[in-house]
């Protein structure tokens, strides 16, 4: 009876804790089982249970704890709580909390995610993607734009302006397109097969003058600039980073000093700017420069404030004292990017974006815009590049034959193809559904960092895998090489808009720990306001969350009490695993904040692993939403399973590494017992899924078509060649071709064809002559093999083609 009552007491407590029901139910469980133990079992057990009930009452019931416990905890909290700087406060207050906050709770409400369905694009938006975007990308060849021109063709520049590509985010009342976030990501995915084109269109529609003017500009600024930005009369750039301010943009040393200067015979109150900016996209061709600088008023011309802080202004290109026009050479694709310098540049105060009232508000403006823009531009480009890799790598490996078999049948190649397919599916799910959140009014600050880091890292990995399976085809540059330049340029996406190393180790969890946590922000606010009652509510709600996550993580890891999730049989176990790891993540996050306190800011590897857990759970949720909402095609179930298995494996790996490295080893041991009581369970995707995905993207299947739906797969008479379209044609005829390859090879092996018929073309002609092939079969294979050979061919050049200074050429073979 003693053992039975102990089990009942523990089970009851676990139920109460899992539900975060509060102190009263826990007291009830302990008291009732304690009385029963006193009556029917062990007096010792009864004493333990009743003491537990008393302690829970004293520490848990508000009326009792506020008289003795809360003041002590509050005093300690004031001493150990990390200080949040004003800069950090602005960043924390930027954006909103959505699904990322649900993952912090340990019991995510899936209905909150699924209620915001992705409804697709409007007819106008879809037509723009299908027509204008397709035409724009059809005018590009990577070699031509990156090497021969180092620019887009002039007709393409004119077309982009005419069709208002630079005005996607500008409202229609100002002459822009007024597109949704979903449409912007669809446009950029379609354009991403040419990096220069994607960047040229993406940047003006992301962080820059257009978005800043829409949100903060004065009426006069909006009326003048927005129509001109929308139709391309003005090309914008934004100067933020410089020699001493990269990822730490708040440290910029560029200054604007309030002063008076005579202009056209009148004394004008304005700013004297001195600045040096680097890595500014579109600067060489920009007609108007958005500039971030530190504003000072040492003479008090505006009032008592001396240091206004970061401020943003718009400066016309021809302003005296500004040097602009030189170029940097970004690795891979030399899109328009360069330095801007200014010495004693005078501008009127009304050049400040938003006017004088917005002086010093630049950092808030930037982080609020970045929380949205960073969700779209680079992640969309990564998703589009990934789809292009699916199309080319899948096609090439099927038509490239070695050892008398397509290389797509080799398991080493299949492993790379499966990674390409899985990461592409994850990337597409993440960008599309996060954009949908934006259209539903959210400003996803933490998800923007998640997408920027992980999707650009996916892009780098996908491009490396695609290069590997192509072999010599794509390590030889030239007009026929459709991957090499994009592969080289992937490093740019890794670096810009917050370097990936910094984003992972400082931003994802560093920002999320306070911004997304259900209680921490309220606790810090109570501390700042010296509000003990508010602190009591927040802190003990936090305590309940910790115990609740411990109970949920432990029981769900044992397979008891799985979360109730609204998904079908194929995906339910993955959603339940996300819920389980959400509880484990929440518990570990609280443990790290409690044991490390303010030191956690400096323990970047700990923060990075917690960020990895949060990120992979977020990405897995987006895949589940994609599976739930869209009509699946043959093979997509395996793709969903591969993607979610990969993400959950990565989540568990991050959890394991966190537990290995948490400095407080007793706490780490307790956490391991609670979160991984049966050890690691999620392995990497198995070989069966790998084989299935590799075949699906290297043959003409509905799944391949679905993954390629976001990019250009067609052809046009006056367009550049589209390798994806050519591979699609080859795959459409592959089954027939494969039968004829085998037929000819079998005849050759039997000695029915001449031994000298080594080239495929010779073998086909010999097969026709020997009656092995019909005339129709031989004709089909002539055409098919000619197209295959064209796709396998690489470029060659004149000996002196690459020498910029031909006077330095050496004649290695003199007559």
């Amino acid at each position: 009876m003693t053992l039975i009552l102990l089990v009942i007491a523990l089970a009851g407590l676990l139920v109460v804790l899992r539900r975060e029901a509060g102190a009263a139910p826990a007291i009830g469980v302990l008291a009732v089982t304690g009385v029963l133990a006193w009556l029917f079992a062990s007096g010792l057990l009864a004493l333990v249970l009743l003491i537990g009930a008393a302690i829970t009452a004293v520490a848990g019931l508000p009326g009792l704890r506020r008289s003795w416990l809360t003041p002590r905890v509050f005093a300690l909290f004031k001493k150990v709580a990390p200080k949040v700087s004003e800069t950090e406060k602005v960043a924390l207050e930027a954006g909103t909390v959505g699904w990322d906050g649900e993952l912090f709770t340990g019991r995510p409400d899936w209905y909150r995610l699924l209620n915001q369905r992705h409804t697709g694009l409007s007819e106008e938006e879809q037509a723009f993607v299908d027509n204008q975007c397709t035409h724009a990308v059809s005018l590009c060849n990577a070699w031509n734009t990156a090497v021969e021109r180092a620019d887009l063709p002039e007709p393409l520049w004119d077309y982009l302006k005419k069709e208002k590509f630079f005005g996607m985010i500008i409202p229609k009342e100002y002459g822009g397109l007024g597109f949704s976030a979903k449409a912007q990501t669809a446009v950029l995915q379609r354009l991403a097969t040419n990096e220069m084109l994607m960047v040229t269109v993406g940047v003006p529609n992301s962080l820059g003058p257009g978005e800043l003017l829409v949100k903060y500009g004065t009426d006069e600024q909006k009326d003048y600039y927005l129509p001109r930005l929308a139709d391309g009369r003005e090309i914008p750039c934004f100067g933020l980073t410089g020699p001493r301010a990269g990822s730490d943009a708040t440290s910029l040393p560029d200054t604007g000093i309030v002063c008076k200067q005579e202009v056209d015979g009148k004394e004008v109150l304005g700013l004297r700017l001195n600045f040096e900016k680097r890595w500014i996209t579109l600067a060489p061709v920009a007609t108007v420069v958005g500039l971030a600088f530190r504003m000072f008023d040492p003479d008090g011309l505006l009032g008592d404030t001396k240091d206004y802080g970061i401020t943003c202004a718009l400066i016309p290109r021809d302003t005296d004292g500004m040097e602009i026009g030189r170029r940097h050479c970004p690795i891979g694709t030399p899109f328009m990017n360069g330095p801007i310098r200014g010495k004693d540049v005078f501008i009127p105060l009304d050049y400040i974006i938003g006017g004088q009232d917005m002086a010093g508000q630049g950092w808030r403006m930037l982080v609020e815009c970045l929380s949205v823009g960073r969700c779209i531009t680079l992640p969309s480009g990564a998703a589009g590049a990934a789809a292009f890799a699916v199309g080319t790598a899948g096609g090439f490996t099927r038509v490239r034959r070695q050892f008398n078999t397509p290389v797509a049948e080799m398991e080493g190649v299949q492993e790379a193809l499966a990674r390409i397919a899985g990461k592409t599916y994850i990337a597409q799910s993440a960008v599309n559904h996060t954009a949908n959140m934006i259209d539903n009014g959210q400003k996803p600050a933490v998800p923007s960092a998640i997408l920027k880091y992980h999707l650009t890292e996916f892009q780098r990995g996908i491009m490396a895998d695609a290069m590997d399976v192509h072999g010599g085809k794509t390590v030889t540059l030239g007009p026929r090489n459709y991957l090499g330049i994009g592969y080289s340029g992937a490093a740019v996406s890794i670096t810009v808009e917050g370097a990936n190393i910094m984003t992972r180790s400082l931003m994802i969890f560093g920002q999320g720990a306070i911004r997304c946590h259900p209680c921490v922000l309220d606790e810090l606010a109570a501390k700042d306001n010296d509000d003990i009652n508010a602190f009591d509510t927040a802190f003990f709600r936090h305590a309940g969350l910790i115990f609740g996550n411990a109970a949920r993580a432990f029981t769900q890891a044992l397979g008891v009490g799985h979360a109730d999730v609204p998904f079908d049989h194929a995906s339910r176990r993955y959603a339940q695993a996300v819920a389980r790891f959400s509880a484990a993540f929440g518990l570990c996050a609280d443990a790290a904040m409690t044991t490390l306190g303010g030191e956690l800011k400096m323990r970047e590897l700990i923060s990075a692993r917690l960020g990895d857990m949060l990120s992979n759970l977020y990405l897995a949720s987006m895949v589940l939403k994609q599976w739930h909402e869209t009509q699946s095609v043959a093979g997509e179930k395996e793709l969903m399973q591969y993607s979610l298995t990969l993400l959950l494996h990565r989540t568990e790996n991050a959890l394991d590494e966190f537990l290995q490295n948490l400095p407080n080893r007793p706490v780490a041991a307790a956490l391991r017992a609670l979160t991984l009581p049966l050890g690691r369970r999620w392995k990497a995707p198995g070989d069966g899924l790998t084989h299935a995905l590799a075949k699906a993207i290297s043959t003409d299947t509905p799944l391949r078509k679905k993954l390629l739906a976001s990019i250009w797969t067609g052809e046009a008479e006056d367009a550049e060649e589209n390798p994806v379209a050519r591979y699609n044609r080859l795959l459409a005829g592959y089954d027939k071709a494969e039968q004829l390859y085998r037929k000819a090879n079998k005849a050759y092996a039997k000695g029915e064809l001449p031994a000298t018929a080594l080239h495929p073309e010779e073998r086909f002609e010999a097969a026709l002559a020997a009656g092995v092939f019909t005339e129709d079969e031989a004709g089909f294979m002539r055409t098919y093999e000619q197209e295959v050979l064209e796709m396998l061919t690489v470029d060659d050049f004149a000996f002196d083609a690459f020498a910029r200074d031909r006077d330095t050429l050496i004649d290695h073979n003199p007559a």
Side-chain angles (χ1 to χ4, degrees):
M1 180 60 77
T2 299
L3 182 59
I4 293 174
L5 286 173
L6 179 61
V7 170
I8 291 174
L10 292 175
L13 285 176
L14 283 173
V15 170
V16 169
L17 293 175
R18 277 174 56 104
R19 295 179 178 177
E20 297 178 32
I27 294 167
V29 169
L30 292 169
V32 169
T33 53
V35 170
L36 291 174
W38 182 268
L39 295 174
F40 303 108
S42 165
L44 179 60
L45 176 61
L47 181 61
V48 170
L49 292 172
L50 292 172
I51 290 175
I55 293 174
T56 304
V58 172
L61 294 176
L64 296 177
R65 71 180 183 234
R66 286 178 179 173
S67 63
W68 71 279
L69 182 58
T70 301
R72 291 171 172 80
V73 175
F74 193 32
L76 178 62
F77 184 83
K78 289 179 179 179
K79 294 179 181 178
V80 302
K83 293 182 179 179
V84 181
S85 68
E86 287 301 317
T87 299
E88 290 174 315
K89 284 182 179 179
V90 171
L92 289 171
E93 291 168 1
T96 59
V97 177
W99 185 247
D100 44 334
E102 289 291 325
L103 292 172
F104 262 90
T105 67
R107 48 177 184 176
D109 181 359
W110 291 99
Y111 293 99
R112 180 178 178 187
L113 178 68
L114 299 179
N115 282 343
Q116 295 184 349
R117 292 186 61 85
H118 190 298
T119 55
L121 307 184
S122 69
E123 290 185 9
E124 177 191 6
E125 291 170 338
Q126 189 63 58
F128 188 88
V129 172
D130 293 339
N131 298 305
Q132 283 92 331
C133 293
T134 294
H135 180 69
V137 79
S138 75
L139 299 178
C140 293
N141 171 275
W143 178 261
N144 177 268
T145 57
V147 178
E148 294 178 347
R149 294 178 180 273
D151 196 357
L152 298 176
E154 186 174 2
L156 180 53
W157 273 106
D158 293 339
Y159 184 76
L160 295 177
K161 295 174 183 179
K162 172 178 172 289
E163 297 297 335
K164 301 184 178 181
F165 276 82
F166 302 128
M168 287 193 292
I169 63 172
I170 295 175
K172 291 185 177 181
E173 56 263 36
Y174 293 102
L177 295 176
F179 276 177
S180 65
K182 295 191 293 290
Q184 293 173 52
T185 193
V187 167
L188 296 176
Q189 287 181 73
R190 182 62 56 95
L191 303 183
T193 51
N194 186 282
E195 183 188 16
M196 183 180 290
L197 176 59
M198 191 281 294
V199 170
T200 300
V201 172
V203 167
N205 288 288
S206 182
L207 176 64
E211 186 174 16
L212 292 171
L213 283 169
V214 169
K215 294 183 177 179
Y216 310 107
T218 64
D219 289 340
E220 292 79 8
Q221 290 170 341
K222 291 178 180 179
D223 291 341
Y224 178 78
Y225 276 114
L226 289 180
R228 299 172 65 85
L229 290 169
D231 62 21
R233 282 175 289 167
E234 301 278 7
I235 299 295
C237 69
F238 192 82
L240 178 60
T241 54
R244 292 179 174 83
S247 295
D248 180 15
T250 60
S251 66
L252 55 87
D254 309 295
T255 59
I257 307 298
V258 179
C259 63
K260 295 180 179 180
Q261 181 168 312
E262 188 173 296
V263 178
D264 297 330
K266 296 181 180 180
E267 187 177 66
V268 176
L269 187 62
L271 294 163
R272 181 168 289 108
L273 303 171
N274 286 278
F275 55 88
E276 183 176 4
K277 302 294 186 180
R278 290 183 187 170
W279 309 299
I280 310 306
T281 298
L282 293 184
V285 297
T287 61
V288 60
V289 177
L291 191 77
F293 56 91
R294 189 82 172 268
M295 179 173 164
F296 296 92
D297 183 14
D299 297 327
L301 297 178
L302 300 179
D304 296 333
T305 302
K306 302 297 183 183
D307 181 356
Y308 278 82
I310 296 176
T311 302
C312 298
L314 284 179
I315 308 174
R317 182 187 182 95
D318 58 2
T319 302
D320 289 341
M322 186 161 67
E323 298 177 26
I324 186 171
R326 292 185 63 81
R327 294 180 68 170
H328 299 311
C329 185
I331 189 170
T333 300
F335 55 86
M336 289 297 170
N337 184 278
I340 310 173
R341 299 177 180 88
K343 183 173 177 58
D344 294 332
V345 177
F346 180 81
I347 63 170
L349 284 178
D350 58 13
Y351 280 22
I352 295 175
I353 297 177
Q356 185 177 332
D357 290 343
M358 295 303 290
Q361 298 299 309
W363 179 238
R364 179 173 65 85
M365 294 159 63
L366 293 174
V367 295
E368 287 180 353
C369 290
L370 194 61
S371 69
V372 174
R374 196 163 50 173
C375 267
I376 296 175
T377 305
L378 292 177
S380 299
F388 186 69
V390 169
T392 53
F396 177 86
T397 55
R398 183 56 58 182
V399 302
R400 173 62 165 165
R401 302 177 72 85
Q402 294 287 275
F403 312 106
N404 286 326
T405 189
V407 298
E409 295 299 321
M410 299 177 180
E411 289 195 341
V413 172
Q414 290 178 344
E415 186 177 31
L417 290 177
R419 284 196 297 264
I420 292 171
K423 290 179 179 178
T424 300
Y425 191 62
I426 296 167
Q428 291 177 342
S429 301
V431 294
N432 292 334
H433 290 289
T434 304
N436 184 60
M437 293 177 184
I438 296 172
D439 288 334
N440 278 279
Q442 297 186 37
K443 297 178 181 179
V446 173
S448 75
I450 292 172
L451 265 62
K452 194 278 169 180
Y453 171 75
H454 286 277
L455 269 56
T456 56
E457 290 292 343
F458 279 5
Q459 179 184 5
R460 175 157 61 179
I462 287 169
M463 297 303 286
D465 279 333
M467 290 286 290
D468 285 353
V469 301
H470 276 83
K473 166 69 179 178
T474 51
V475 297
T476 308
L477 287 175
R480 289 182 173 90
N481 188 330
Y482 42 74
L483 278 183
I485 290 172
Y487 164 77
S488 301
V492 175
S493 298
I494 298 294
T495 304
V496 300
E497 291 195 8
N500 276 11
I501 288 177
M502 298 293 187
T503 300
R504 174 176 179 256
S505 60
L506 293 176
M507 294 188 64
I508 295 175
F509 180 77
Q511 189 174 5
I514 296 177
R515 187 73 182 95
C516 301
H517 195 285
C519 309
V520 170
L521 206 58
D522 291 339
E523 290 169 341
L524 291 174
K527 176 188 72 103
D528 292 341
N529 297 327
D530 199 27
D531 187 340
I532 192 170
N533 290 327
F535 176 79
D536 175 85
T537 301
F539 179 82
F540 286 97
R541 178 161 51 90
H542 193 166
L545 177 69
I546 293 173
F547 286 115
N549 278 335
R552 286 188 290 269
F554 180 68
T555 55
Q556 291 177 22
L558 294 176
V560 178
H562 287 307
D564 182 24
V565 296
F567 293 96
D568 63 12
H569 179 73
S571 58
R572 184 176 297 118
R573 65 183 291 259
Y574 302 103
Q576 289 172 337
V578 169
R580 171 208 158 187
F581 282 122
S582 169
F585 163 71
L587 180 63
C588 290
D590 280 317
M593 288 189 285
T594 301
T595 60
L596 292 172
E599 186 187 349
L600 182 57
K601 282 186 180 181
M602 307 305 297
R603 301 303 293 260
E604 294 174 21
L605 293 177
I606 296 293
S607 178
R609 293 176 183 116
L610 289 166
D612 289 344
M613 291 179 66
L614 176 61
S615 298
N616 284 292
L617 293 173
Y618 181 86
L619 295 175
S621 302
M622 298 303 103
V623 172
L624 285 162
K625 190 171 189 289
Q626 171 76 6
W627 171 259
H628 180 78
E629 289 187 1
T630 63
Q631 182 66 44
S632 64
V633 299
E636 190 173 352
K637 175 183 173 182
E638 289 77 13
L639 179 57
M640 175 270 293
Q641 291 173 333
Y642 179 100
S643 302
L644 290 171
T645 301
L646 174 66
L647 291 168
L648 291 167
H649 170 71
R650 286 158 51 107
T651 301
E652 192 172 62
N653 186 64
L655 171 59
D656 186 42
E657 290 185 357
F658 167 82
L659 296 174
Q660 290 177 31
N661 291 279
L662 187 67
N664 191 313
R665 300 314 300 156
V667 171
L671 289 173
R672 184 174 292 277
L674 289 169
T675 60
L676 295 173
L678 302 178
R680 294 185 57 174
R681 308 296 296 275
W682 283 94
K683 303 184 184 304
D687 293 350
L689 290 175
T690 295
H691 297 156
L693 295 192
K695 184 175 183 180
I697 69 165
S698 64
T699 54
D700 185 22
T701 63
L703 182 60
R704 175 181 165 90
K705 290 183 174 68
K706 185 168 186 176
L707 288 174
L708 300 185
S710 62
I711 63 170
W712 178 45
T713 58
E715 294 177 287
E717 186 175 339
D718 298 328
E720 294 286 344
E721 288 189 353
N722 184 357
V724 174
R726 298 184 73 172
Y727 281 128
N728 284 347
R729 283 204 313 270
L730 287 169
L731 294 185
Y734 169 74
D735 289 340
K736 181 178 179 179
E738 181 62 23
Q739 292 177 0
L740 295 176
Y741 278 127
R742 293 180 181 179
K743 192 175 182 180
N745 291 339
K746 184 177 180 180
Y748 181 82
K750 289 181 176 181
E752 297 174 5
L753 306 181
T756 57
L758 299 176
H759 284 286
E761 296 85 352
E762 296 171 343
R763 195 164 294 181
F764 302 151
E765 297 305 325
L768 176 62
V772 175
F773 277 3
T774 66
E775 182 62 49
D776 287 345
E777 290 173 334
F780 174 81
M781 290 307 294
R782 289 189 198 106
T783 303
Y784 190 86
E785 190 63 26
Q786 181 180 3
E787 181 73 0
V788 168
L789 184 59
E790 177 62 26
M791 298 309 294
L792 302 181
T793 299
V794 298
D795 299 287
D796 53 66
F797 301 85
F799 177 78
D800 61 354
F802 308 126
R804 297 185 66 181
D805 183 357
R806 298 195 178 187
D807 292 337
T808 64
L809 285 171
I810 301 170
D811 186 355
H812 292 275
N813 295 285

